[in-house]
Amino acid sequence: QSVIDAVLHTRLREAARLLEQTPSSIKEIAYACGFGSPFYFSAQFRRRYGSSPRAWRTRPGRRTSP
């Protein structure tokens, strides 16, 4: 795993936690986690977790994956 991959993983894990634990908008979470674009954030989130940030937030039995 490259340093860039590790940083991306850390940012996405924090974003998943914020989606579960805060009412902040997806745009706010994207910027708070260091993404310059909510669209890029959503694409990377979907690639990592297999669902959109919105779907992640509303799914039953929410738990942040490692």
Side-chain angles (χ1 to χ4, degrees):
Q1 183 178 16
S2 73
V3 173
I4 293 171
D5 290 336
V7 169
L8 180 60
H9 174 74
T10 300
R11 287 178 176 175
L12 290 171
R13 189 174 55 218
E14 175 65 6
R17 185 189 70 77
L18 291 172
L19 286 166
E20 293 176 357
Q21 298 178 1
T22 71
S24 299
S25 71
I26 292 168
K27 180 179 176 180
E28 291 169 332
I29 290 171
Y31 291 137
C33 292
F35 290 91
S37 161
F39 301 105
Y40 178 71
F41 162 68
S42 292
Q44 291 300 310
F45 192 94
R46 183 183 301 272
R47 197 170 119 204
R48 172 82 182 150
Y49 291 108
S51 71
S52 69
R54 178 171 290 161
W56 181 268
R57 174 174 267 168
T58 60
R59 78 193 194 292
R62 299 181 302 188
R63 276 297 245 278
T64 303
S65 299

